[in-house]
């Protein structure tokens, strides 16, 4: 028998591309992200009686409870603003972050059938999960600004600065949500951990109290929680607070960018095994 000639061997290995190449791939699939956002919005309000009004219900009733407990009984300081207005501005920002983080952490598990069938950059899942709650945030702000005006707190030129604050909240939710989504595929404990993290985070963030209650020497540490700067910035923009939040916002912005970069890197490293584990 004659000996078989050597044949070239092609080895197929996972893509070791750079972060920029990976993000370019996500951008190239932006139509998929838009479709996932539209699907999430349709599913959320399908067969509901109040529809998009549910964007207002959670922050309203939470504000009522917080005003009774922290504003009336405990008499927590509110930087000279009515406590209901002080808390509802913070809750509007926090509710967006809470909803976005929860959706992002569960995004890979909730789309397991899609992951098993076709290839696409998996980061599209947590990305679409943090974008879809922006509709609720927009509805809440569109309702809140006129209510504050009726109460005598008129909108000011500060309102456009809500945009960079929302961008910080988006970056934080995507960075942390991408890490939790990747870990959730391997360890389903994450779905139980997320509500606990959000519950603790609510009180670690100046939602029911002002950042001015924190000792001055410790305030830079407060900024390590990116939502601290976002919440204080929301109050500054919506209520016209005299307290300057931008040093705190600056620290929060840097922290959010670091968190976003870490989230993308961790997600890239772990997503290769999604189809086998999910």
């Amino acid at each position: 028998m004659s000996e078989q000639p050597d044949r070239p061997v092609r080895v197929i290995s996972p893509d070791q591309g750079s972060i920029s190449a990976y993000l370019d791939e996500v951008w190239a699939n932006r139509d998929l992200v838009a479709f996932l956002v539209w699907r999430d919005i349709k599913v959320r309000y399908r067969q509901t009686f109040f529809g998009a009004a549910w964007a207002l219900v959670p922050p309203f009733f939470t504000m009522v409870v917080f005003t009774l407990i922290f504003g009336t009984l405990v008499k927590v300081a509110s930087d000279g603003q009515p406590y209901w207005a002080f808390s509802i501005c913070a809750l509007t920002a926090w509710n967006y972050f809470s909803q976005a983080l929860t959706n992002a952490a569960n995004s890979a598990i909730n789309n397991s059938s899609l992951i098993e069938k076709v290839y696409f950059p998996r980061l599209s899942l947590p990305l679409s999960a943090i974008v879809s709650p922006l509709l609720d945030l927009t509805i809440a702000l569109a309702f809140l600004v006129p209510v504050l005006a009726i109460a005598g707190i008129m909108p000011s030129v500060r309102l456009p600065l809500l945009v960079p604050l929302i961008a910080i909240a988006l970056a934080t939710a995507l960075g942390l949500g991408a890490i939790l989504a990747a870990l959730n595929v391997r360890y389903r404990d994450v779905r139980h951990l997320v509500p606990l993290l959000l519950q603790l985070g609510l009180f670690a963030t100046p939602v029911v109290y002002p950042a001015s209650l924190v000792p001055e020497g410790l305030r830079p540490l407060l900024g390590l929680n990116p939502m601290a700067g976002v919440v204080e910035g929301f109050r500054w923009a919506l209520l016209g607070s005299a307290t300057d939040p931008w040093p705190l916002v600056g620290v929060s912005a840097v922290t959010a960018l670091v968190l976003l970069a870490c989230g993308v890197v961790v997600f890239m490293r772990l997503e290769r095994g999604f189809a086998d584990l999910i």
Side-chain angles (χ1 to χ4, degrees), residues 4-12:
Q4 292 293 327
D6 292 338
R7 295 181 177 178
V9 177
R10 175 176 294 179
V11 178
I12 300 175

Side-chain angles (χ1 to χ4, degrees), residues 148-169:
L148 291 175
I150 292 171
I153 304 173
M154 302 304 293
S156 70
V157 293
R158 297 176 177 180
L159 278 182
L161 293 175
L162 286 174
V163 175
L165 296 169
I166 293 171
I168 295 174

Side-chain angles (χ1 to χ4, degrees), residues 179-193:
I179 294 173
L180 292 172
L183 293 176
N184 201 10
V185 173
R186 294 172 179 265
Y187 310 104
R188 303 302 165 88
D189 312 71
V190 172
R191 69 173 63 178
H192 304 288
L193 180 63

